Amino acid sequence: MGGAKRRALAPPLHNRAMDEIVKRALAKWPNVPACHGWLGLDMRGRWYLRDAAAQARGGFAQSRGDWLRHPGLIDFIGRNYLSDAAGQWYFQNGPQRVYVELEAAPWVWRVAADGVITSHTGRHAEVRQTLCDEAGRLYVESTIGLGLVHSLDVAVAADVLERGAWPQPEPVQAKELASRFGFVRSPCEAARL
């Protein structure tokens, strides 16, 4: 809404437990340059590897790249998925930060019938607020940040809302979400500025 206050940035997830192998690599090689444009997260919580050819065809919206399907790699990315103080999300790949291009939001929520939400990385969170954008997409602001409700779970979420288990959605424009909730959709674009 127009009169809504800007929310404080969610605290960076630096203190979250990351893999020991990643911690050792960071200690051994502390100054590895960051990587931009090579990893994307879509609206359904799927990771995409964007090689040089995919990046040459345009941003994440125009050229997704290759959908990652290896369960071990997906779990590794999820365990080491963090945000920095500027609201940019990244995967800590050993000593290197691989910044993530976000199609919608930093989290994608799966919703259980009782209203419990779980992120695309397997993290649980508490619902604080719900929002609905101009395209009818449902977002949940949680204790770990803003995320989009997975398209397969919209009916479950609607039932949870009807039962009054969550706050009723506030109308919002999708283009306002990043600035309002303190995240960067395209760290690659931000790095070019």
Side-chain angles (χ1 to χ4, degrees):
M1 298 196 125
K5 294 180 185 175
R6 179 181 161 86
R7 297 196 184 277
L9 290 175
L13 296 176
H14 296 297
N15 296 328
R16 189 168 153 219
M18 70 174 72
D19 287 6
E20 277 303 314
I21 192 170
V22 172
K23 289 178 185 177
R24 287 193 305 271
L26 279 167
K28 188 172 182 178
W29 300 291
N31 298 315
V32 174
C35 178
H36 291 85
W38 288 81
L39 188 63
L41 177 69
D42 78 359
M43 288 187 187
R44 296 185 71 145
R46 296 178 296 205
W47 298 106
Y48 286 83
L49 181 61
R50 303 182 68 244
D51 63 11
Q55 291 180 56
R57 290 190 294 273
F60 187 53
Q62 293 81 35
S63 178
R64 292 193 191 285
D66 294 320
W67 178 16
L68 297 179
R69 297 174 193 226
H70 188 279
L73 178 56
I74 292 166
D75 288 346
F76 181 60
I77 292 171
R79 287 191 311 272
N80 297 286
Y81 180 57
L82 308 161
S83 66
D84 66 16
Q88 298 178 107
W89 287 82
Y90 63 92
F91 155 51
Q92 188 69 50
N93 183 26
Q96 185 175 52
R97 283 187 179 184
V98 179
Y99 282 96
V100 179
E101 299 294 296
L102 304 171
E103 184 174 16
W107 302 105
V108 176
W109 304 118
R110 298 309 308 252
V111 181
D114 61 1
V116 171
I117 58 172
T118 306
S119 76
H120 66 284
T121 64
R123 291 192 65 197
H124 295 283
E126 300 292 321
V127 174
R128 290 184 176 164
Q129 175 183 20
T130 63
L131 305 105
C132 187
D133 73 10
E134 67 278 7
R137 292 180 292 253
L138 182 64
Y139 298 84
V140 171
E141 181 201 12
S142 77
T143 50
I144 63 171
L146 183 77
L148 177 68
V149 171
H150 193 289
S151 60
L152 293 177
D153 292 351
V154 170
V156 175
D159 184 55
V160 171
L161 285 163
E162 283 181 25
R163 292 195 320 262
W166 290 354
Q168 288 301 301
E170 171 190 331
V172 68
Q173 294 292 308
K175 66 183 179 185
E176 298 170 357
L177 291 169
S179 63
R180 181 170 167 186
F181 292 96
F183 65 90
V184 177
R185 273 205 181 98
S186 178
C188 188
E189 281 182 30
R192 288 186 199 133
L193 301 177

